[in-house]
Amino acid sequence: MLSDQSIRNILINKEIEITVSFYQKESNCILYDMERPLLESDSADNLYSDRLKLTMGPIIKPINKNNIIRKHTFKKTKDCVDLRKNDNKYIINPGESIIILTNERIKLNGKYACIIIPRISLSDVGVVVTTAYVDPYYQGIMRLQLSNLSNKSLELHSLEAIAQCFFFELTDEVSSEYKEAFSAKSVFYGQTWKQILESDRPPFPTKKGYAENNRFSAIKHQISIVIQFFKNHSIIFLLLTNIIAIVSGYTLLKQDYIHYKDTVSQIESWLDPVASEIVIDSGLQYGEKEITVDIPKAEIITVLFNNDNIQFELFSGNVSSETRIVFSYTDFSPTNNRREIEFTYVVVRRAKK
């Protein structure tokens, strides 16, 4: 591991580069006219002992928070916050995680690498920063995840020191062929603040996207929780349905009440989950399980199950009153063992009038 003096010498010899784009003035985060070398900037004191303090840039991305105030968003994005529009601060709530970009940009050659670890001062109050390894030949600003594991809201500020970076020299220089491979596979390689602020390049490009059915799976998951709650609290279920009927302004006459009871009975009888399993033979990645239910396909709304990795398709049965449901599971880490993927499912259907 390198000392601060070794790092300074390396910077002077331009073996590696560390530059910054912002400086602090009267609690404001100000952009330099042009990117400045660390040693020639107001952040020079952040290099000390054997480490470099990494500071938080003004654009962040909450990853589990939906209610972002529109006037605080960055450009036309819906999920990125511009702290410069919010007094250069951000309140991270209990259980919340955010992704930040550092003010510092690092450019390494094939002889050096570094590792980023949390600061104890943040860890002491429950804010954890993910540890990151920075490869030789990397160049760009750092992208880190912060999570508030405490039960209190905490205030973060632009250019606040949120992590520390340690540099070390490799015993042998990494082959230059990895430099091209690195730039090809990394979606944030070469990222600069100038690009973020002046171009249409997204501040937080991602290589892995969300599944197309992500939103639907989340809805199914919430529905399954509600169904399970009502199954375990049948009195609450009946009380709630009565309240809904009363609030809706319906007068339950004898005939209507009989129909109401029949509907409730139908729904309750359909809430019992059915157990099943998908078998994947050794060495294979894919398995299916087909079942047939005595329900017309047109009456089935969806199928809920307790494993989000399982997919399903509906097919017409041999007769109009039947539906074939094919469950499938893909295991991207096949083994030499035969596997049984156990799950339970509930077929959600329309109530008969």
Side-chain angles (χ1 to χ4, degrees):
M1 191 164 60
L2 301 178
S3 67
D4 62 328
Q5 189 56 53
S6 297
I7 298 171
R8 291 175 190 276
N9 292 335
I10 292 169
L11 290 174
I12 293 172
N13 295 330
K14 299 189 181 300
E15 294 182 73
I16 65 174
E17 295 179 18
I18 304 176
T19 55
V20 295
S21 295
F22 298 93
Y23 67 97
Q24 188 168 343
K25 182 178 181 180
E26 298 178 355
S27 300
N28 293 320
C29 182
I30 309 297
L31 180 69
Y32 282 116
D33 293 336
M34 58 184 300
E35 204 174 46
R36 292 197 179 183
L38 175 72
L39 300 181
E40 300 174 15
S41 72
D42 292 354
S43 302
D45 291 341
N46 286 341
L47 177 60
Y48 71 103
S49 183
D50 57 352
R51 69 202 70 181
L52 169 68
K53 289 182 183 177
L54 295 178
T55 57
M56 186 169 74
I59 310 299
I60 69 168
K61 179 180 180 180
I63 57 178
N64 56 348
K65 180 178 181 178
N66 296 322
N67 57 333
I68 298 175
I69 301 175
R70 187 172 184 83
K71 67 179 182 180
H72 295 161
T73 58
F74 175 66
K75 291 185 178 179
K76 297 180 180 180
T77 62
K78 296 180 180 179
D79 58 353
C80 297
V81 179
D82 190 340
L83 303 188
R84 297 171 299 175
K85 299 178 180 179
N86 190 36
D87 297 327
N88 288 289
K89 64 183 180 181
Y90 183 82
I91 304 298
I92 182 169
N93 295 312
E96 184 180 355
S97 294
I98 62 174
I99 302 176
I100 68 100
L101 298 173
T102 63
N103 179 29
E104 295 75 21
R105 182 177 69 86
I106 297 177
K107 181 178 180 181
L108 302 173
N109 62 15
K111 294 171 56 179
Y112 301 98
C114 51
I115 188 168
I116 300 170
I117 66 173
R119 297 191 71 216
I120 297 300
S121 58
L122 282 179
S123 300
D124 284 344
V125 294
V127 175
V128 176
V129 181
T130 52
T131 301
Y133 173 76
V134 185
D135 299 88
Y137 292 119
Y138 175 79
Q139 60 171 295
I141 53 184
M142 306 293 105
R143 180 170 59 172
L144 302 172
Q145 178 181 325
L146 281 71
S147 299
N148 183 2
L149 304 183
S150 74
N151 59 358
K152 297 181 180 180
S153 297
L154 298 164
E155 188 172 283
L156 300 174
H157 298 266
S158 297
L159 303 185
E160 178 178 351
I162 45 83
Q164 46 196 354
C165 182
F166 294 87
F167 295 81
F168 53 92
E169 185 175 1
L170 305 178
T171 54
D172 297 299
E173 185 171 356
V174 174
S175 173
S176 60
E177 66 185 50
Y178 291 103
K179 182 177 182 179
E180 295 181 4
F182 195 4
S183 60
K185 73 178 182 180
S186 174
V187 294
F188 52 95
Y189 177 87
Q191 192 177 34
T192 67
W193 278 106
K194 181 179 177 62
Q195 291 173 338
I196 293 173
L197 299 176
E198 298 182 4
S199 73
D200 294 330
R201 176 172 178 164
F204 299 89
T206 56
K207 190 172 184 179
K208 186 175 181 63
Y210 294 107
E212 291 182 2
N213 66 340
N214 179 266
R215 183 177 180 183
F216 182 58
S217 296
I219 294 174
K220 290 194 297 181
H221 176 66
Q222 296 301 322
I223 292 175
S224 66
I225 293 175
V226 174
I227 289 175
Q228 189 60 43
F229 175 82
F230 285 148
K231 283 177 63 62
N232 295 336
H233 302 80
S234 57
I235 294 177
I236 296 178
F237 175 71
L238 293 174
L239 179 62
L240 181 61
T241 53
N242 275 284
I243 291 174
I244 293 173
I246 293 171
V247 172
S248 300
Y250 290 105
T251 302
L252 296 177
L253 301 176
K254 182 176 181 180
Q255 182 178 357
D256 295 328
Y257 183 68
I258 292 174
H259 170 66
Y260 159 77
K261 288 181 64 178
D262 289 343
T263 301
V264 171
S265 297
Q266 284 184 52
I267 295 173
E268 287 184 318
S269 67
W270 297 339
L271 293 180
D272 291 327
V274 180
S276 189
E277 75 287 325
I278 296 174
V279 176
I280 302 179
D281 292 328
S282 61
L284 298 182
Q285 294 179 283
Y286 181 81
E288 287 185 353
K289 177 63 177 286
E290 179 177 322
I291 59 104
T292 301
V293 295
D294 295 326
I295 306 172
K297 183 180 177 183
E299 292 184 10
I300 296 179
I301 299 174
T302 188
V303 181
L304 304 174
F305 33 84
N306 63 348
N307 189 327
D308 286 338
N309 294 319
I310 293 176
Q311 307 295 322
F312 77 94
E313 289 187 81
L314 301 178
F315 300 93
S316 299
N318 295 326
V319 294
S320 59
S321 61
E322 293 182 345
T323 301
R324 293 185 300 118
I325 306 176
V326 177
F327 297 98
S328 62
Y329 184 93
T330 301
D331 188 347
F332 293 100
S333 303
T335 67
N336 293 326
N337 300 321
R338 182 176 182 270
R339 286 146 293 157
E340 294 184 0
I341 312 300
E342 298 181 350
F343 67 99
T344 57
Y345 67 90
V346 174
V347 178
V348 181
R349 57 185 293 189
R350 294 181 175 84
K352 296 180 181 179
K353 297 181 179 180

